[in-house]
Amino acid sequence: MTLVVADYDAAIVFYRDQLGFALLTDTDMGGGKRWVLVGPRDGGGTRLLLARADGPAQMAAVGDQTGGRVMGFIETDDFAAEHAGMLARGVVFREAPRHEPYGTVAVFEDLYGNLWDLIEPRPQ
């Protein structure tokens, strides 16, 4: 999944240090472009290509890539521990955790304001 960001290094710090993702690749592509890939430390799940905005239209999309809707989900099997860890690392949650028929969830924002869900699915 591609995520348009304003700055490679700031995005790496957020996704690696605050969300706990692994920096999988950071390759210089020349001309100021880099191939920056982050993903879950366990190697599973979706990976994010952090693509620096190029031009006014892409800069305008930074932080609003889904028109204010949640753009992604980080799934955990220990919501309480993950939520506490994220708070301790400075992640901003927009709401308190809530229990829904599908699981425990709370909406948080990335460094640009894109919305994400932290979710522990209800056992099937």
Side-chain angles (χ1 to χ4, degrees):
M1 182 168 122
T2 301
L3 180 64
V4 180
V5 300
D7 179 79
Y8 291 119
D9 295 322
I12 289 168
V13 167
F14 178 81
Y15 284 95
R16 182 191 61 208
D17 300 347
Q18 290 186 266
L19 290 190
F21 285 13
L23 176 59
L24 303 171
T25 307
D26 186 354
T27 304
D28 186 339
M29 302 293 289
K33 294 190 181 220
R34 291 158 56 185
W35 183 265
V36 178
L37 194 62
V38 297
R41 289 196 183 278
D42 67 6
T46 300
R47 296 179 175 135
L48 292 175
L49 176 66
L50 304 177
R52 190 183 67 199
D54 185 14
Q58 289 182 17
M59 275 306 294
V62 172
D64 191 28
Q65 294 183 66
T66 59
R69 297 203 48 138
V70 169
M71 67 173 285
F73 305 89
I74 295 182
E75 194 171 294
T76 180
D77 59 2
D78 188 346
F79 184 92
E82 191 69 35
H83 182 258
M86 289 170 71
L87 284 171
R89 293 186 303 271
V91 175
V92 175
F93 280 83
R94 293 270 186 103
E95 63 183 17
R98 65 184 194 279
H99 301 285
E100 298 290 346
Y102 54 84
T104 303
V105 63
V107 175
F108 68 93
E109 60 185 57
D110 70 12
L111 73 163
Y112 297 113
N114 293 302
L115 301 179
W116 295 78
D117 275 354
L118 174 64
I119 184 169
E120 181 178 351
R122 178 174 287 196
Q124 298 296 327

